[in-house]
């Protein structure tokens, strides 16, 4: 017995964690700082932690009320009907729901290159195919309508990422609207705003009220610090909001996740601290790293270092774990998550030292 043919399916490569690297190098995990997965360096919302403790004794119940309460709270916060909030097991779960709702076998999706591998993975899981539009490193990974429309050929779903991972670039709202206007009636524009809290940009949510072809993805993983709970959602037009009941996994968001999400939504202090900290770290990387750093509006920066694999491995030995962007098709770049002040300072100092050593070796 065999699975269906999965040979054309990509695999998602996550950033390496402290335990994995420490085991590999035979070192104490306490020696390392991990800045490879765009996690919140300030931890989860304290209000969410308290909610998790209070909910722990109730996990024998399915999250019926909590699920409804969280959809209502998000709807109120985002200015949409709760039915337009599709809760999911992380942002990738919301991507799957949209794939289930829109893709027929053989449909194509259009995704950015480089970009988040799961867009294409979800399409292939649902018997769709994948086409790519290129974001140019030489143009700072700039995102605009012409870049997307120059490749567009009637795909069923077009994915935009704002801020874009791994570069941190964003796409202005008028450009999103132009793409929606100039694509076919049966094309859905999905704007992934997983890092939206960190960006000084108007959300594409502004387009949903007047259109039926734009959806927005959001997550609790980044600014709210709840990556381990796997909680995300899609915001969709009212015209097809009821499709959620036909495509979602029953109780996809757990009782603990829903209650933590409810508490985190109200913890504006934690979000503000996380956003301000990321902005300060981005500025520090741009000003102090002795290598090209792309301007970013996420909680991470992309840096050109020459041989990303070699630099990543050397940094690991020095106790700093970063993301080798070879898996994004950028073998000359690394991505570093914005850490605390101390973590960011350490990353900059160690990176500059590694770059200086490599430069000296090249000159010998």
């Amino acid at each position: 017995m065999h699975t269906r043919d999965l040979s054309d399916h990509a695999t998602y490569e996550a950033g390496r964690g402290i335990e994995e690297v420490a085991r590999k190098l035979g070192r104490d995990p306490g020696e390392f700082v991990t800045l490879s997965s765009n996690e919140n360096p300030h931890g989860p919302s304290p209000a969410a932690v308290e909610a998790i403790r209070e909910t722990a004794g109730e996990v024998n119940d399915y999250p019926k009320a909590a699920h409804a309460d969280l959809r209502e709270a998000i709807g109120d916060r985002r200015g949409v009907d709760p039915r337009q909030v599709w809760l999911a097991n992380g942002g990738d779960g919301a991507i799957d729901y949209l794939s289930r709702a829109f893709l027929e076998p053989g449909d194509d999706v259009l995704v950015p290159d480089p970009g988040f591998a799961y867009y294409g993975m979800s399409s292939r899981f649902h018997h769709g195919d994948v086409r790519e539009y290129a974001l140019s490193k030489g143009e700072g990974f700039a995102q605009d309508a012409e870049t997307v429309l120059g490749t567009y050929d009637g795909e069923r779903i077009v994915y935009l990422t704002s801020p874009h991972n791994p570069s941190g670039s964003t796409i202005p709202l008028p450009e999103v609207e132009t793409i929606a206007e100039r694509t076919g009636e049966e094309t859905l524009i999905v704007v992934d705003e997983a890092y939206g809290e960190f960006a000084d940009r108007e959300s594409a949510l502004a387009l949903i009220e007047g259109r039926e072809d734009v959806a927005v993805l959001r997550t609790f993983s980044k600014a709210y610090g709840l990556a381990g709970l796997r909680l995300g959602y899609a915001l969709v037009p009212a015209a097809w909001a009821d499709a959620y009941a036909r495509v979602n996994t029953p109780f996809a968001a757990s009782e603990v996740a829903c209650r933590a999400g409810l508490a985190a939504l109200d913890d504006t202090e934690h979000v503000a601290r996380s956003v301000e900290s990321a902005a300060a770290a981005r500025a520090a990387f741009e000003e102090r790293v002795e290598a090209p750093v792309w301007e970013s509006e996420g909680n991470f920066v992309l840096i050109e270092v020459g041989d990303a694999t070699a630099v990543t491995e050397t940094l690991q030995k020095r106790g700093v774990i970063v993301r080798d962007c070879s898996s994004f098709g950028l073998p000359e770049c690394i991505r570093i998550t914005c850490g605390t002040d101390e973590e960011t300072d350490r990353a900059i100092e160690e990176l500059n030292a590694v770059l200086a050593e490599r430069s000296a070796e090249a000159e010998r």
Side-chain angles (χ1 to χ4, degrees):
M1 176 142 183
H2 301 282
T3 66
R4 65 186 175 100
D5 184 7
L6 302 174
S7 59
D8 65 343
H9 287 231
T11 57
Y12 178 71
E13 297 184 31
R16 290 186 172 181
I18 287 177
E19 293 79 7
E20 177 187 359
V21 174
R23 262 196 314 271
K24 176 184 174 183
L25 298 178
R27 304 258 293 277
D28 184 341
E31 299 176 28
F32 296 86
V33 56
T34 178
L35 300 173
S36 59
S37 296
N38 298 342
E39 296 153 336
N40 191 321
H42 303 291
S45 153
V49 172
E50 183 59 30
I52 290 168
R53 291 195 183 101
E54 293 176 355
T55 306
E58 303 172 14
V59 294
N60 57 304
D61 294 330
Y62 288 112
K64 297 180 285 292
H67 192 275
D69 290 348
L70 182 53
R71 291 180 74 192
E72 184 174 346
I74 293 172
D76 182 65
R77 180 66 57 87
R78 301 298 182 189
V80 299
D81 187 291
R83 294 180 304 114
Q84 295 174 251
V85 180
W86 289 15
L87 281 185
N89 180 28
D92 44 357
I95 291 169
D96 278 341
Y97 290 162
L98 294 173
S99 294
R100 293 180 194 178
F102 282 91
L103 296 182
E104 299 281 0
D107 281 347
D108 289 345
V109 301
L110 186 61
V111 306
D113 176 34
F116 184 37
Y118 199 76
Y119 303 145
M121 291 170 65
S122 181
S123 176
R124 291 193 167 104
F125 293 157
H126 295 87
H127 303 280
D129 210 342
V130 184
R131 298 184 69 246
E132 298 175 334
Y133 61 91
L135 298 181
S136 169
K137 185 180 79 167
E139 296 177 2
F141 302 95
Q143 300 188 71
D144 53 48
E146 291 306 318
T147 297
V148 178
L149 294 171
T151 305
Y152 172 73
D153 188 27
E155 287 78 15
R156 183 65 161 135
I157 300 177
V158 174
Y159 283 98
L160 311 175
T161 315
S162 189
H164 170 254
N165 180 20
S167 74
S169 71
T170 56
I171 181 166
L173 187 61
E175 298 294 307
V176 178
E177 188 169 20
T178 297
I179 294 169
E181 291 284 354
R182 292 173 55 187
T183 48
E185 292 183 0
E186 296 302 314
T187 294
L188 174 67
I189 310 302
V190 178
V191 186
D192 186 347
E193 297 181 348
Y195 301 96
E197 285 83 2
F198 299 101
D200 187 19
R201 291 280 186 181
E202 185 177 5
S203 170
L205 179 60
L207 300 176
I208 288 180
E209 184 175 352
R211 308 191 62 91
E212 297 182 6
D213 56 356
V214 175
V216 174
L217 298 175
R218 286 274 176 160
T219 184
F220 283 86
S221 295
K222 309 303 180 184
Y224 295 98
L226 302 183
L229 284 182
R230 311 307 304 125
L231 183 62
Y233 56 95
L235 298 164
V236 308
W240 44 270
D242 289 340
Y244 182 54
R246 299 181 182 276
V247 299
N248 75 317
T249 303
F251 312 114
S254 73
E255 177 75 12
V256 173
C258 287
R259 291 301 174 193
L262 279 164
L265 273 179
D266 289 332
D267 193 351
T268 56
E269 181 179 346
H270 182 73
V271 172
R273 178 191 182 199
S274 300
V275 170
E276 291 169 5
S277 173
R282 292 195 308 255
F285 282 120
E286 292 172 9
E287 293 168 6
R288 295 166 51 196
V289 169
E290 295 170 4
V293 180
W294 277 270
E295 184 177 348
S296 170
E297 292 198 54
N299 67 335
F300 54 87
V301 292
L302 184 70
I303 305 173
E304 186 165 5
V305 296
D307 185 337
T309 300
V311 170
T312 298
E313 290 177 352
T314 304
L315 281 172
Q316 285 179 5
K317 293 174 183 176
R318 300 174 77 111
V320 178
I321 305 170
V322 302
R323 181 65 182 264
D324 176 352
C325 286
S326 296
S327 62
F328 287 97
L330 298 169
E332 68 283 7
C333 296
I334 61 173
R335 190 193 66 197
I336 306 184
T337 304
C338 296
T340 63
D341 291 345
E342 294 78 10
E343 290 170 341
T344 297
D345 286 343
R346 180 177 175 188
I348 292 171
E349 290 169 6
E350 297 292 357
L351 175 58
N352 283 340
V354 171
L355 293 173
E357 289 175 0
R358 291 179 60 80
S359 178
E361 290 174 2
E363 292 176 358
R364 290 191 192 123

